[in-house]
Amino acid sequence: MQFQAGPILSKIQSPADLRKLSPAELPAVCHELRQFIIDNVSVNGGHFGASLGVTELTVALHYVFNTPDDQLVWDVGHQAYGHKILTGRQDSFHTNRLFGGISGFPKRSESEYDAFGVGHSSTSISAALGMAVASRYKKEFHKQHIAVIGDGSMTAGMAFEAMNHAGDIPNNMLIILNDNCMAIDPNVGALKEYLTDITTSHTYNRVKDDVWNLLGKMSKFGKSAQEIVSKIENGLKATLLKQSNLFESLNLRYFGPIDGHDVQYLTTVLNDLKDIPGPKILHCITTKGKGYSLAEKDQTLWHAPGKFDKITGEIHKKTFDNPQPPKYQEVFGHTILELAEQNPKIMGITPAMPSGSSLNIMMRAMPDRAFDVGIAEQHAVTFSAGMATQGLTVFCNIYSSFMQRAYDQVVHDVCLQKLPVIFCLDRAGLAGADGPTHHGLYDLAYMRCIPNMIVAAPKNEQELRNIMYTASLDKFKEHHKAITIRYPRGAGVMPAWRTGFEEITIGQGQKVLDGEDIAILSIGHVGNEAELACQKARSLGMNPALYDMRFVKPLDEKILHEVFSTYNQIITVEDACIQGGFGSAIAEFMLDHGYNKPMLRLGVPDDIIEHGEPHELYQLCGIDSENILKKIADFYPNKIKSTSQKVNQD
């Protein structure tokens, strides 16, 4: 559904149009922009609270800076809806996050105003610094470089690495610290307390007001503004060092905190900061969900609420007559608590995803045994490793695509030391509307190549529970290996999922369906698509066998010897990158053991898969039941050619 923007916003097709307005008109622009976001997200879904919280900041940045010549980098990017609407994508915004539509995150190939592609946190300062140094090298001294980063993203080590470097080299960069005390869940850690101290200090704020009164007069002095800053700098630091030492000690000039919802004051401040050379940071205080009262009150729920009634605030949820399968993340959350109640050694770790991973269930019940470590995947892994050295049973839950950020720690701190950390990788496979930055496509390939690592992928909720149970047993530690358990975003397939725990033999798969001629080998949740394809094939006179392998490493060699000795053709199915993944592991086994059978690998091709609904992306990659069925038919002998043609016509 497409909405009509307000009378002022509808005339803004680029920031150049915005800059034609008077400062007095900017509050009206903000009101219309915020309403346009509410209208669209309420009907079409998407991220919500983050963009409402930076509406005034977005307008002010594009009003003051000469984008796209000036480089504006958004950290993570789910707060960039207003940015997209102001930069030529107002008419296509109703396609946001839809298959074939615009991305939910800034994307360089989508617009020249998207200076850097984002999706994961804490990259903006590094990227903007790289741009600033490049501009200086090219003698493009007129260019401004702005990184907008939230206080949640600021907890990651990469942000501090970038600030440490920025303070050590000549550059013209402005860091906007968007401080709302939230990421997806409330922020944690000492930095949150530090920023709170700054924003609540009466002495600091009184001095800050005096400083800004002075800075507000700078435009009258022209080039001498730099001299004024130089004269007041020592006094400024002497007065404020006790509060601002974190940033000042990194040689970043610190300004603020200021009200991030006063668009006219923001434009004044940003104009002043344009004249101050060197790396600097502006601390803006904002409210996530600003302008929609329910989103302000429950910021976690309204981070991405789905579709809702914008008048009543009722979030639309599908209703069903029969019980429905739970989400895999919910199965994890309830299962780890169930296990922890039986086993006092169990601990839970997540980097800033307690609600997304459902570890918050254990955190509420056992706050001393479950930890949100902030946006710090590397720390989460090594923190888990440290606990494991002391005999604890540690479940480290990280989204699959975020685990890429902690790969060295998995190799060096866990597997090299043979520590039995249990990695639960949520959002594995095709993650849907969040798109390529969030697809968990590479975990099978990058985990199975590491020594002392077991790699498992459950087909359903029961298998997830049983593999978690198996890994939690003390006897599992005798393997002296870590384990990766990967599962997708979204619902499983078992409404009655609370089954009793059963130990699973590590590396043991199972035969799902007997058959002849063809064997289908599947791994993980996509095996349900393979099973559906096999059932349809049987109704058409074909009789493929189906195996749920459960483990990519170690492989069930007993099953594989049976398969390669019995069947004429082999098809492997996985919801991960086809290069180096499950199918590759089966092909390696075939080669290593001297078998020579026709084999087809189905999986995600060597390409960037864009955003869309999971079923659309499964179809795109050829791993939905209909496409698997067509491949089964292609493998069958000519005697059922008519059946194959019928399948392909369907």
Side-chain angles (χ1 to χ4, degrees):
M1 182 175 180
Q2 192 167 4
F3 288 89
Q4 177 64 42
I8 304 176
L9 182 61
S10 61
K11 297 177 183 178
I12 300 174
Q13 296 301 314
S14 73
D17 296 328
L18 175 66
R19 295 175 200 129
K20 295 174 184 176
L21 303 176
S22 68
E25 294 176 283
L26 297 184
V29 174
C30 294
H31 173 75
E32 292 183 12
L33 180 58
R34 183 172 275 114
Q35 189 59 50
F36 190 70
I37 293 171
I38 293 171
D39 288 342
N40 276 273
V41 177
S42 67
V43 171
N44 300 319
H47 292 103
F48 187 60
S51 287
L52 296 186
V54 296
T55 299
E56 288 80 11
L57 181 59
T58 302
V59 170
L61 285 167
H62 281 295
Y63 189 74
V64 170
F65 293 100
N66 185 32
T67 55
D69 189 46
D70 289 339
Q71 305 285 287
L72 176 58
V73 181
W74 298 90
D75 207 273
V76 182
H78 55 234
Q79 79 280 51
Y81 286 5
H83 158 81
K84 292 201 170 207
I85 294 163
L86 293 175
T87 56
R89 286 163 281 186
Q90 182 182 135
D91 294 339
S92 60
F93 190 68
H94 65 286
T95 70
N96 182 46
R97 291 165 52 91
L98 299 180
F99 187 65
I102 65 172
S103 171
F105 299 95
K107 185 176 179 182
R108 281 172 53 81
S109 61
E110 188 176 286
S111 171
E112 63 179 337
Y113 290 93
D114 294 355
F116 199 74
V118 290
H120 291 189
S121 82
S122 316
T123 62
S124 59
I125 302 176
S126 296
L129 179 61
M131 296 171 186
V133 171
S135 294
R136 183 179 179 84
Y137 173 75
K138 295 162 65 177
K139 302 188 184 308
E140 297 172 341
F141 300 116
H142 64 285
K143 276 192 174 184
Q144 302 283 336
H145 312 85
I146 308 99
V148 183
I149 183 169
D151 51 321
S153 294
M154 192 69 89
T155 63
M158 187 175 177
F160 284 90
E161 293 168 17
M163 287 191 292
N164 183 54
H165 190 202
D168 191 48
I169 58 174
N171 67 87
N172 184 27
M173 177 177 65
L174 170 62
I175 301 168
I176 306 286
L177 174 57
N178 173 39
D179 183 358
N180 60 21
C181 293
M182 287 289 294
I184 294 175
D185 293 280
N187 288 332
V188 298
L191 179 63
K192 178 196 73 171
E193 303 300 332
Y194 174 80
L195 294 176
T196 300
D197 287 345
I198 288 180
T199 59
T200 56
S201 166
H202 297 297
T203 302
Y204 181 78
N205 280 279
R206 184 172 62 251
V207 175
K208 173 263 297 182
D209 290 338
D210 293 340
V211 170
W212 280 115
N213 286 336
L214 175 60
L215 292 178
K217 301 174 183 176
M218 282 192 170
S219 57
K220 300 177 182 178
F221 293 93
K223 294 182 179 179
S224 64
Q226 295 178 18
E227 297 176 11
I228 293 176
V229 171
S230 179
K231 289 179 180 179
I232 69 170
E233 186 171 31
N234 290 335
L236 180 66
K237 285 187 176 180
T239 305
L240 305 183
L241 190 58
K242 194 169 184 179
Q243 287 290 347
S244 62
N245 60 59
L246 176 62
F247 302 109
E248 293 282 350
S249 65
L250 294 171
N251 292 329
L252 302 176
R253 283 180 173 160
Y254 174 89
F255 301 97
I258 66 170
D259 181 0
H261 296 300
D262 186 338
V263 65
Q264 292 172 314
Y265 187 48
L266 277 169
T267 59
T268 300
V269 171
L270 291 172
N271 268 311
D272 288 335
L273 292 179
K274 284 171 64 175
D275 296 326
I276 299 176
K280 46 204 170 287
I281 184 165
L282 174 63
H283 186 176
C284 297
I285 306 302
T286 63
T287 300
K288 190 172 183 179
K290 181 71 174 179
Y292 194 78
S293 60
L294 292 173
E296 293 183 36
K297 293 174 184 176
D298 192 340
Q299 297 176 346
T300 298
L301 175 65
W302 290 88
H303 172 75
K307 300 175 183 180
F308 61 95
D309 185 316
K310 66 181 181 181
I311 305 300
T312 66
E314 179 186 359
I315 296 174
H316 301 315
K317 295 182 178 180
K318 293 181 180 179
T319 57
F320 302 91
D321 294 331
N322 300 316
Q324 295 297 302
K327 295 179 180 179
Y328 277 101
Q329 68 192 57
E330 295 168 346
V331 176
F332 165 83
H334 289 291
T335 300
I336 191 174
L337 177 58
E338 198 174 333
L339 293 172
E341 288 171 342
Q342 301 173 17
N343 183 348
K345 295 180 181 179
I346 289 177
M347 311 293 281
I349 313 295
T350 188
M353 289 295 163
S355 60
S357 70
S358 290
L359 187 65
N360 57 358
I361 296 172
M362 182 179 177
M363 290 172 67
R364 287 192 295 266
M366 301 177 175
D368 59 331
R369 295 172 59 187
F371 301 88
D372 174 7
V373 302
I375 302 177
E377 293 85 2
Q378 293 172 309
H379 167 60
V381 171
T382 305
F383 181 51
S384 299
M387 284 188 169
T389 66
Q390 301 306 301
L392 297 180
T393 300
V394 188
F395 284 82
C396 182
N397 188 303
I398 301 180
Y399 286 10
S400 174
S401 64
F402 298 169
M403 177 58 91
Q404 295 158 189
R405 315 184 83 175
Y407 191 61
D408 179 68
Q409 284 68 30
V410 173
V411 175
H412 185 274
D413 298 338
V414 177
C415 292
L416 200 65
Q417 302 188 84
K418 300 182 179 180
L419 295 174
V421 175
I422 304 161
F423 294 110
C424 293
L425 302 194
D426 199 338
R427 272 58 168 183
L430 294 158
D434 282 335
T437 60
H438 285 61
H439 294 327
L441 302 177
Y442 313 113
D443 46 19
L444 293 183
Y446 70 63
M447 285 300 196
R448 81 176 188 91
C449 66
I450 307 174
N452 302 321
M453 175 63 79
I454 297 165
V455 183
K459 178 172 176 277
N460 54 40
E461 298 93 317
Q462 183 179 32
E463 286 192 0
L464 174 57
R465 283 171 59 80
N466 288 339
I467 295 173
M468 288 177 65
Y469 169 70
T470 301
S472 73
L473 298 174
D474 282 343
K475 61 193 295 187
F476 176 79
K477 295 181 173 66
E478 296 172 5
H479 291 281
H480 302 291
K481 294 180 179 180
I483 183 170
T484 293
I485 308 170
R486 55 105 67 179
Y487 49 90
R489 178 179 187 173
V493 294
M494 298 177 63
W497 60 274
R498 281 188 180 272
T499 56
F501 292 121
E502 295 181 15
E503 184 179 353
I504 290 179
T505 301
I506 297 298
Q508 186 177 89
Q510 62 179 353
K511 181 186 288 187
V512 179
L513 296 170
D514 279 318
E516 57 188 17
D517 296 323
I518 295 175
I520 315 295
L521 307 180
S522 69
I523 187 73
H525 177 78
V526 74
N528 296 291
E529 294 288 330
E531 185 171 1
L532 183 58
C534 288
Q535 291 169 349
K536 291 180 180 178
R538 288 173 182 238
S539 70
L540 295 171
M542 297 171 279
N543 190 27
L546 176 63
Y547 292 83
D548 168 24
M549 296 301 292
R550 292 199 289 209
F551 292 88
V552 176
K553 183 182 180 181
L555 291 168
D556 189 330
E557 296 197 357
K558 181 179 178 181
I559 280 182
L560 292 180
H561 282 299
E562 174 187 317
V563 166
F564 281 101
S565 300
T566 305
Y567 299 94
N568 297 321
Q569 287 103 5
I570 315 298
I571 300 176
T572 64
V573 185
E574 61 195 298
D575 59 344
C577 65
I578 201 167
Q579 293 188 311
F582 170 64
S584 294
I586 302 301
E588 291 164 11
F589 175 89
M590 180 175 70
L591 180 64
D592 292 344
H593 291 84
Y595 294 108
N596 184 16
K597 295 291 179 74
M599 181 175 160
L600 175 66
R601 295 178 300 148
L602 300 181
V604 179
D606 185 25
D607 200 357
I608 300 300
I609 306 302
E610 299 297 343
H611 57 280
E613 291 301 312
H615 72 272
E616 295 171 322
L617 302 182
Y618 268 52
Q619 186 176 27
L620 177 67
C621 295
I623 55 175
D624 63 308
S625 61
E626 290 301 322
N627 275 294
I628 295 171
L629 177 60
K630 290 177 182 179
K631 296 303 181 183
I632 292 172
D634 289 343
F635 262 112
Y636 263 76
N638 292 332
K639 65 180 180 180
I640 60 166
K641 185 175 181 181
S642 60
T643 303
S644 177
Q645 289 174 338
K646 182 179 184 298
V647 170
N648 282 285
Q649 287 170 359
D650 292 343

mmCIF file of all heavy atoms in Angstrom, residues 493-527:
data_model
loop_
_atom_site.group_PDB
_atom_site.id
_atom_site.type_symbol
_atom_site.label_atom_id
_atom_site.label_comp_id
_atom_site.label_asym_id
_atom_site.label_seq_id
_atom_site.Cartn_x
_atom_site.Cartn_y
_atom_site.Cartn_z
ATOM 1 N N VAL A 493 8.138 -26.840 12.752
ATOM 2 C CA VAL A 493 7.117 -27.650 12.090
ATOM 3 C C VAL A 493 6.309 -28.494 13.074
ATOM 4 O O VAL A 493 5.422 -29.237 12.665
ATOM 5 C CB VAL A 493 7.763 -28.587 11.047
ATOM 6 C CG1 VAL A 493 8.365 -27.778 9.905
ATOM 7 C CG2 VAL A 493 8.822 -29.490 11.688
ATOM 8 N N MET A 494 6.581 -28.366 14.379
ATOM 9 C CA MET A 494 5.955 -29.242 15.371
ATOM 10 C C MET A 494 5.149 -28.437 16.395
ATOM 11 O O MET A 494 5.725 -27.859 17.314
ATOM 12 C CB MET A 494 7.029 -30.052 16.104
ATOM 13 C CG MET A 494 7.835 -30.979 15.227
ATOM 14 S SD MET A 494 9.128 -31.825 16.188
ATOM 15 C CE MET A 494 8.121 -32.764 17.353
ATOM 16 N N PRO A 495 3.826 -28.389 16.248
ATOM 17 C CA PRO A 495 3.027 -27.719 17.286
ATOM 18 C C PRO A 495 3.236 -28.336 18.669
ATOM 19 O O PRO A 495 3.313 -27.623 19.670
ATOM 20 C CB PRO A 495 1.586 -27.904 16.794
ATOM 21 C CG PRO A 495 1.718 -28.088 15.315
ATOM 22 C CD PRO A 495 2.995 -28.837 15.116
ATOM 23 N N ALA A 496 3.327 -29.659 18.731
ATOM 24 C CA ALA A 496 3.574 -30.351 20.005
ATOM 25 C C ALA A 496 5.076 -30.602 20.135
ATOM 26 O O ALA A 496 5.568 -31.716 19.958
ATOM 27 C CB ALA A 496 2.797 -31.661 20.047
ATOM 28 N N TRP A 497 5.785 -29.558 20.471
ATOM 29 C CA TRP A 497 7.252 -29.611 20.407
ATOM 30 C C TRP A 497 7.899 -29.946 21.750
ATOM 31 O O TRP A 497 9.082 -30.276 21.790
ATOM 32 C CB TRP A 497 7.800 -28.271 19.921
ATOM 33 C CG TRP A 497 7.438 -27.115 20.822
ATOM 34 C CD1 TRP A 497 6.297 -26.382 20.776
ATOM 35 C CD2 TRP A 497 8.204 -26.585 21.902
ATOM 36 N NE1 TRP A 497 6.298 -25.415 21.751
ATOM 37 C CE2 TRP A 497 7.464 -25.515 22.459
ATOM 38 C CE3 TRP A 497 9.451 -26.896 22.444
ATOM 39 C CZ2 TRP A 497 7.927 -24.769 23.536
ATOM 40 C CZ3 TRP A 497 9.912 -26.151 23.517
ATOM 41 C CH2 TRP A 497 9.157 -25.100 24.053
ATOM 42 N N ARG A 498 7.167 -29.861 22.829
ATOM 43 C CA ARG A 498 7.765 -30.102 24.150
ATOM 44 C C ARG A 498 7.864 -31.602 24.426
ATOM 45 O O ARG A 498 7.150 -32.166 25.244
ATOM 46 C CB ARG A 498 6.948 -29.413 25.236
ATOM 47 C CG ARG A 498 7.212 -27.924 25.345
ATOM 48 C CD ARG A 498 6.509 -27.368 26.578
ATOM 49 N NE ARG A 498 6.712 -25.949 26.750
ATOM 50 C CZ ARG A 498 7.722 -25.386 27.402
ATOM 51 N NH1 ARG A 498 8.649 -26.160 27.949
ATOM 52 N NH2 ARG A 498 7.816 -24.089 27.518
ATOM 53 N N THR A 499 8.752 -32.227 23.705
ATOM 54 C CA THR A 499 8.982 -33.655 23.868
ATOM 55 C C THR A 499 10.055 -33.896 24.923
ATOM 56 O O THR A 499 10.821 -32.997 25.271
ATOM 57 C CB THR A 499 9.432 -34.267 22.534
ATOM 58 O OG1 THR A 499 10.596 -33.553 22.069
ATOM 59 C CG2 THR A 499 8.333 -34.137 21.491
ATOM 60 N N GLY A 500 10.118 -35.113 25.431
ATOM 61 C CA GLY A 500 11.165 -35.465 26.388
ATOM 62 C C GLY A 500 12.529 -35.459 25.733
ATOM 63 O O GLY A 500 12.657 -35.603 24.513
ATOM 64 N N PHE A 501 13.556 -35.297 26.554
ATOM 65 C CA PHE A 501 14.915 -35.247 26.018
ATOM 66 C C PHE A 501 15.433 -36.645 25.718
ATOM 67 O O PHE A 501 15.219 -37.588 26.491
ATOM 68 C CB PHE A 501 15.853 -34.562 27.019
ATOM 69 C CG PHE A 501 15.577 -33.100 27.207
ATOM 70 C CD1 PHE A 501 15.260 -32.591 28.457
ATOM 71 C CD2 PHE A 501 15.627 -32.226 26.132
ATOM 72 C CE1 PHE A 501 15.001 -31.239 28.637
ATOM 73 C CE2 PHE A 501 15.373 -30.871 26.290
ATOM 74 C CZ PHE A 501 15.055 -30.379 27.553
ATOM 75 N N GLU A 502 16.138 -36.765 24.582
ATOM 76 C CA GLU A 502 16.811 -38.002 24.215
ATOM 77 C C GLU A 502 18.226 -37.675 23.761
ATOM 78 O O GLU A 502 18.434 -36.737 22.990
ATOM 79 C CB GLU A 502 16.068 -38.717 23.086
ATOM 80 C CG GLU A 502 14.682 -39.216 23.448
ATOM 81 C CD GLU A 502 14.020 -39.938 22.292
ATOM 82 O OE1 GLU A 502 14.738 -40.290 21.327
ATOM 83 O OE2 GLU A 502 12.793 -40.136 22.344
ATOM 84 N N GLU A 503 19.172 -38.445 24.240
ATOM 85 C CA GLU A 503 20.554 -38.242 23.817
ATOM 86 C C GLU A 503 20.723 -38.702 22.374
ATOM 87 O O GLU A 503 20.199 -39.743 21.970
ATOM 88 C CB GLU A 503 21.504 -39.010 24.729
ATOM 89 C CG GLU A 503 22.973 -38.772 24.407
ATOM 90 C CD GLU A 503 23.908 -39.520 25.350
ATOM 91 O OE1 GLU A 503 23.419 -40.116 26.340
ATOM 92 O OE2 GLU A 503 25.130 -39.516 25.078
ATOM 93 N N ILE A 504 21.441 -37.912 21.606
ATOM 94 C CA ILE A 504 21.729 -38.233 20.210
ATOM 95 C C ILE A 504 23.207 -38.589 20.095
ATOM 96 O O ILE A 504 24.071 -37.902 20.651
ATOM 97 C CB ILE A 504 21.407 -37.036 19.285
ATOM 98 C CG1 ILE A 504 19.888 -36.828 19.203
ATOM 99 C CG2 ILE A 504 21.973 -37.247 17.889
ATOM 100 C CD1 ILE A 504 19.481 -35.650 18.341
ATOM 101 N N THR A 505 23.505 -39.647 19.371
ATOM 102 C CA THR A 505 24.897 -40.003 19.125
ATOM 103 C C THR A 505 25.509 -38.971 18.185
ATOM 104 O O THR A 505 24.967 -38.698 17.105
ATOM 105 C CB THR A 505 25.008 -41.402 18.496
ATOM 106 O OG1 THR A 505 24.411 -42.355 19.389
ATOM 107 C CG2 THR A 505 26.467 -41.774 18.251
ATOM 108 N N ILE A 506 26.615 -38.382 18.601
ATOM 109 C CA ILE A 506 27.268 -37.359 17.779
ATOM 110 C C ILE A 506 27.674 -37.959 16.430
ATOM 111 O O ILE A 506 28.295 -39.019 16.363
ATOM 112 C CB ILE A 506 28.509 -36.790 18.503
ATOM 113 C CG1 ILE A 506 28.100 -36.078 19.795
ATOM 114 C CG2 ILE A 506 29.281 -35.841 17.576
ATOM 115 C CD1 ILE A 506 27.199 -34.888 19.615
ATOM 116 N N GLY A 507 27.282 -37.264 15.370
ATOM 117 C CA GLY A 507 27.636 -37.719 14.033
ATOM 118 C C GLY A 507 26.694 -38.758 13.459
ATOM 119 O O GLY A 507 27.005 -39.357 12.427
ATOM 120 N N GLN A 508 25.542 -38.948 14.059
ATOM 121 C CA GLN A 508 24.601 -39.965 13.575
ATOM 122 C C GLN A 508 23.382 -39.312 12.946
ATOM 123 O O GLN A 508 22.677 -38.528 13.571
ATOM 124 C CB GLN A 508 24.167 -40.879 14.714
ATOM 125 C CG GLN A 508 23.285 -42.053 14.257
ATOM 126 C CD GLN A 508 22.946 -42.969 15.409
ATOM 127 O OE1 GLN A 508 21.940 -42.778 16.103
ATOM 128 N NE2 GLN A 508 23.793 -43.958 15.644
ATOM 129 N N GLY A 509 23.130 -39.656 11.675
ATOM 130 C CA GLY A 509 21.934 -39.203 10.990
ATOM 131 C C GLY A 509 20.840 -40.241 11.088
ATOM 132 O O GLY A 509 20.939 -41.200 11.864
ATOM 133 N N GLN A 510 19.797 -40.073 10.282
ATOM 134 C CA GLN A 510 18.719 -41.061 10.286
ATOM 135 C C GLN A 510 18.032 -41.106 8.928
ATOM 136 O O GLN A 510 17.956 -40.100 8.218
ATOM 137 C CB GLN A 510 17.700 -40.736 11.374
ATOM 138 C CG GLN A 510 16.999 -39.409 11.223
ATOM 139 C CD GLN A 510 15.987 -39.153 12.322
ATOM 140 O OE1 GLN A 510 15.704 -40.027 13.140
ATOM 141 N NE2 GLN A 510 15.408 -37.960 12.351
ATOM 142 N N LYS A 511 17.550 -42.306 8.606
ATOM 143 C CA LYS A 511 16.774 -42.468 7.380
ATOM 144 C C LYS A 511 15.340 -42.049 7.662
ATOM 145 O O LYS A 511 14.710 -42.530 8.597
ATOM 146 C CB LYS A 511 16.820 -43.912 6.895
ATOM 147 C CG LYS A 511 16.033 -44.152 5.594
ATOM 148 C CD LYS A 511 15.979 -45.623 5.225
ATOM 149 C CE LYS A 511 17.334 -46.121 4.735
ATOM 150 N NZ LYS A 511 17.236 -47.517 4.223
ATOM 151 N N VAL A 512 14.830 -41.144 6.826
ATOM 152 C CA VAL A 512 13.455 -40.669 6.983
ATOM 153 C C VAL A 512 12.501 -41.488 6.122
ATOM 154 O O VAL A 512 11.421 -41.888 6.564
ATOM 155 C CB VAL A 512 13.352 -39.171 6.621
ATOM 156 C CG1 VAL A 512 11.915 -38.668 6.764
ATOM 157 C CG2 VAL A 512 14.297 -38.337 7.481
ATOM 158 N N LEU A 513 12.912 -41.776 4.874
ATOM 159 C CA LEU A 513 12.083 -42.518 3.930
ATOM 160 C C LEU A 513 12.934 -43.528 3.172
ATOM 161 O O LEU A 513 14.016 -43.185 2.677
ATOM 162 C CB LEU A 513 11.417 -41.571 2.923
ATOM 163 C CG LEU A 513 10.402 -40.545 3.455
ATOM 164 C CD1 LEU A 513 10.046 -39.541 2.363
ATOM 165 C CD2 LEU A 513 9.148 -41.245 3.976
ATOM 166 N N ASP A 514 12.471 -44.769 3.073
ATOM 167 C CA ASP A 514 13.099 -45.744 2.187
ATOM 168 C C ASP A 514 12.776 -45.376 0.747
ATOM 169 O O ASP A 514 11.782 -44.693 0.472
ATOM 170 C CB ASP A 514 12.581 -47.154 2.487
ATOM 171 C CG ASP A 514 13.285 -47.786 3.674
ATOM 172 O OD1 ASP A 514 14.519 -47.632 3.767
ATOM 173 O OD2 ASP A 514 12.601 -48.418 4.503
ATOM 174 N N GLY A 515 13.602 -45.860 -0.163
ATOM 175 C CA GLY A 515 13.337 -45.586 -1.562
ATOM 176 C C GLY A 515 14.235 -46.383 -2.470
ATOM 177 O O GLY A 515 14.926 -47.312 -2.045
ATOM 178 N N GLU A 516 14.248 -45.992 -3.720
ATOM 179 C CA GLU A 516 15.077 -46.665 -4.719
ATOM 180 C C GLU A 516 15.550 -45.651 -5.745
ATOM 181 O O GLU A 516 14.977 -44.563 -5.881
ATOM 182 C CB GLU A 516 14.293 -47.790 -5.397
ATOM 183 C CG GLU A 516 13.000 -47.315 -6.049
ATOM 184 C CD GLU A 516 12.134 -48.460 -6.556
ATOM 185 O OE1 GLU A 516 12.362 -49.612 -6.134
ATOM 186 O OE2 GLU A 516 11.237 -48.196 -7.368
ATOM 187 N N ASP A 517 16.606 -45.984 -6.431
ATOM 188 C CA ASP A 517 17.198 -45.169 -7.500
ATOM 189 C C ASP A 517 17.896 -43.904 -6.989
ATOM 190 O O ASP A 517 19.068 -43.675 -7.269
ATOM 191 C CB ASP A 517 16.158 -44.752 -8.558
ATOM 192 C CG ASP A 517 15.588 -45.941 -9.303
ATOM 193 O OD1 ASP A 517 16.353 -46.890 -9.567
ATOM 194 O OD2 ASP A 517 14.380 -45.935 -9.602
ATOM 195 N N ILE A 518 17.169 -43.072 -6.251
ATOM 196 C CA ILE A 518 17.706 -41.772 -5.844
ATOM 197 C C ILE A 518 17.692 -41.659 -4.318
ATOM 198 O O ILE A 518 16.732 -42.072 -3.663
ATOM 199 C CB ILE A 518 16.868 -40.617 -6.430
ATOM 200 C CG1 ILE A 518 16.959 -40.590 -7.953
ATOM 201 C CG2 ILE A 518 17.328 -39.265 -5.876
ATOM 202 C CD1 ILE A 518 16.071 -39.552 -8.589
ATOM 203 N N ALA A 519 18.754 -41.074 -3.773
ATOM 204 C CA ALA A 519 18.797 -40.751 -2.345
ATOM 205 C C ALA A 519 18.930 -39.240 -2.181
ATOM 206 O O ALA A 519 19.795 -38.612 -2.808
ATOM 207 C CB ALA A 519 19.963 -41.453 -1.665
ATOM 208 N N ILE A 520 18.066 -38.672 -1.369
ATOM 209 C CA ILE A 520 18.136 -37.249 -1.027
ATOM 210 C C ILE A 520 18.780 -37.146 0.353
ATOM 211 O O ILE A 520 18.300 -37.753 1.315
ATOM 212 C CB ILE A 520 16.740 -36.599 -0.969
ATOM 213 C CG1 ILE A 520 15.880 -37.021 -2.163
ATOM 214 C CG2 ILE A 520 16.870 -35.084 -0.871
ATOM 215 C CD1 ILE A 520 16.382 -36.556 -3.489
ATOM 216 N N LEU A 521 19.853 -36.396 0.452
ATOM 217 C CA LEU A 521 20.523 -36.149 1.731
ATOM 218 C C LEU A 521 20.290 -34.694 2.100
ATOM 219 O O LEU A 521 20.680 -33.787 1.357
ATOM 220 C CB LEU A 521 22.020 -36.430 1.630
ATOM 221 C CG LEU A 521 22.450 -37.796 1.078
ATOM 222 C CD1 LEU A 521 23.970 -37.906 1.052
ATOM 223 C CD2 LEU A 521 21.853 -38.924 1.900
ATOM 224 N N SER A 522 19.649 -34.456 3.232
ATOM 225 C CA SER A 522 19.363 -33.084 3.642
ATOM 226 C C SER A 522 20.005 -32.794 4.980
ATOM 227 O O SER A 522 20.325 -33.701 5.751
ATOM 228 C CB SER A 522 17.848 -32.846 3.734
ATOM 229 O OG SER A 522 17.295 -33.571 4.819
ATOM 230 N N ILE A 523 20.171 -31.493 5.247
ATOM 231 C CA ILE A 523 20.722 -31.046 6.532
ATOM 232 C C ILE A 523 19.878 -29.886 7.043
ATOM 233 O O ILE A 523 19.594 -28.929 6.321
ATOM 234 C CB ILE A 523 22.213 -30.627 6.400
ATOM 235 C CG1 ILE A 523 22.808 -30.337 7.770
ATOM 236 C CG2 ILE A 523 22.389 -29.454 5.454
ATOM 237 C CD1 ILE A 523 23.055 -31.566 8.598
ATOM 238 N N GLY A 524 19.398 -30.003 8.273
ATOM 239 C CA GLY A 524 18.696 -28.898 8.896
ATOM 240 C C GLY A 524 17.243 -28.759 8.482
ATOM 241 O O GLY A 524 16.623 -29.661 7.915
ATOM 242 N N HIS A 525 16.708 -27.568 8.768
ATOM 243 C CA HIS A 525 15.280 -27.292 8.586
ATOM 244 C C HIS A 525 14.831 -27.473 7.140
ATOM 245 O O HIS A 525 13.673 -27.864 6.891
ATOM 246 C CB HIS A 525 14.987 -25.858 9.045
ATOM 247 C CG HIS A 525 13.570 -25.428 8.837
ATOM 248 N ND1 HIS A 525 12.535 -25.807 9.666
ATOM 249 C CD2 HIS A 525 13.006 -24.656 7.863
ATOM 250 C CE1 HIS A 525 11.401 -25.283 9.230
ATOM 251 N NE2 HIS A 525 11.654 -24.586 8.139
ATOM 252 N N VAL A 526 15.689 -27.204 6.168
ATOM 253 C CA VAL A 526 15.304 -27.341 4.762
ATOM 254 C C VAL A 526 14.966 -28.788 4.424
ATOM 255 O O VAL A 526 14.338 -29.071 3.394
ATOM 256 C CB VAL A 526 16.425 -26.796 3.840
ATOM 257 C CG1 VAL A 526 17.620 -27.756 3.803
ATOM 258 C CG2 VAL A 526 15.911 -26.523 2.432
ATOM 259 N N GLY A 527 15.349 -29.707 5.304
ATOM 260 C CA GLY A 527 14.967 -31.100 5.112
ATOM 261 C C GLY A 527 13.459 -31.291 5.086
ATOM 262 O O GLY A 527 12.962 -32.271 4.508
#
